[in-house]
Amino acid sequence: MLSMRRIDGCCTWLLVPALWTVGCSSVTVKSADFTLQASPASVSVAAGGAAQAISVSATAASGASGVVSVAITGLPSGVTASPSTLTLSLGTPQQVNLTAASSAGAATATMVFTGTSGLRVHTASVALTVTAASSTSPPSTPPSTGSVDITTYHVDVARTGLNPNEATLTTSNVASSTFGLIRTLPVDGHVDAQPLYLSALTIGGQSHNVVYAATEHDSVYAFDADSGAQLWKTSVLGSGETTSGDHGCSQITPEIGITSTPVIDRKAGPNGAIFVVGMTEDSSGHYHQRLHALDVTTGAELSGSPAEISATYPGSGANSSAGKVVFDPGQYAERAGLLLLNGVIYMGWTSHCDGGPYAGWLMGYNESTLAQASVLNLTPNGSEGSIWMSGAGLAADSSNNIYFLDANGTFDTTLNASGFPTNGDFGNGFIKVSTSGASLSVADYFETSNTVSESNGDEDLGSGGALVLPDLTDTSGGVHHLAVGAGKDANIYVVNRDSMGKFNAQNDNAIYQEISGAIGGVFSMPAYFNNTVYYGAVNDKLKAFPIANAKLATTASAQSANNFQYPGTTPAISANGTSNGIVWAVENSSPAVLHAYDATSLQELYNSNQAASNRDQFGSGNKFITPTIANGKVFVGTRNSVAEFGLLQ
């Protein structure tokens, strides 16, 4: 605060905290302030090991408001913090993840968080211990067979598609002489969702490795992954209900039930829960969308399940009434894989082809109560702009932001002072959504300069999925937080998650990186392994794009010998740490083909057409399916089963 004092008969301003002096009298005024906290007070991180989380928060004192900017100092060599800086809303904690490179040496340090708001500065400290990697073992030793869980689409919330703990399958034993189709697990409809997997789960007093499959006939199955025995089956159809028809759209046909990949929380309920969204039609012709929480050991509905999904959002756009856009369950399918983040299940909604009226909906539901937690409409004063991404899951970063590619729809080319569309319409964009404060809001975005013509020509980004890359360091030591995505226009877009680029009608120069002509149109999503991004575009080869100096290569370093017809392929990767990397990809043909490639060279190791007498063939292809790899097995959804591959006896 400033103080005014009388000196030699004059009034002079002097800098004196929290004190005003006028003439010879003074009045003390309380100034706004805050406190800064970091928890835990001490943390240990292993070189090459898993990230360790620290929660940082600022609390208002003396009527403070606004935000606090936080810098991080004191990290020893080889240790990085993600994010590297914070902007805290008062009362809302944020998470910082610490990782140590495999080359990091043993060290102790004091990590200091310095928060600044106006003239106020406060610090919080955390005692940091770094343990060096053993010289006799790899930095991270994969767990033994029987200890891997695949609980969400593409393995993790970043959607890398990488299982780095595969100790059984190697580049040597994945060959037609030693590897092939073990069995098919029969189900009652198309498996459009990626199969999920839990290891060593106790059911009926016995331990089982369990694979879960959800079908378009509104059924969920649990199978013993080692014997193939069906452990349970549950239908999520209500009394007198059927699945929905395809609404004249061939994208999901002939019926619509459970389309998206579920998500599993092993800690939810008494035994763990699998969350699924099912669409049904009742005897009166009314459609329903419901969120179900099923016990992973029995398939029984948990308390409070199911929850009927409904929503409204302020706006005057498609299907609006009295100043609110209304969610019509019959107009939508829940295609994008579910995201579980901080106790909330997030889901995105797509239309049946382009049959209007529809808009872009993102919703969050509390996983414990199944109560709606948050709603966002991406085109509240326009139309279209759905979230479908060919079944790819909503992605997230370590700061609990959500990323996805939005489909063709209204975008307001007139921007406000912050660079956001004036009417809040974000059709055909690369979107970042904040979940801070238990609400959803667009925090940042990127739109191509020709976004309106792309939407009008149905050449949008929304056909592909977004992948959040791990923190990347350039040759100057700068750390970059990036995400990558591509859609129908055959360009790869790499965005800076801290400043995505927004919209410029003249050019795309504000984007971190745009690569044109390296791939075909994308109706799938990429995978990431060992500093490399893998894409399988339509009528294109599977391609590997290495990363150097925190930039994606503009041409592929390796590619498969074969092409993939529509819709291309979404690769998945198994590895033992950084060794024995195998890229798995399913070809949507008749018969369908499972391919396995060496992750470095993309030389083919195996495909399911190689063995004599059609030994490994498993039926016609199923659009958008992503393979699941766990504990020496590979699971592929089909039109009437889950095909299970592994080492032959």
Side-chain angles (χ1 to χ4, degrees), residues 135-156:
S135 60
T136 59
S137 62
S140 179
T141 303
S144 60
T145 298
S147 59
V148 175
D149 291 344
I150 308 294
T151 61
T152 192
Y153 177 84
H154 235 208
V155 183
D156 50 44

Side-chain angles (χ1 to χ4, degrees), residues 501-541:
K502 297 186 172 67
F503 172 70
N504 182 336
Q506 304 304 313
N507 56 59
D508 295 344
N509 293 348
I511 195 175
Y512 182 83
Q513 190 179 10
E514 181 175 331
I515 303 170
S516 301
I519 57 175
V522 172
F523 289 75
S524 58
M525 79 162 294
Y528 173 86
F529 168 65
N530 206 17
N531 228 33
T532 304
V533 172
Y534 299 84
Y535 260 107
V538 176
N539 297 322
D540 200 359
K541 302 178 186 302

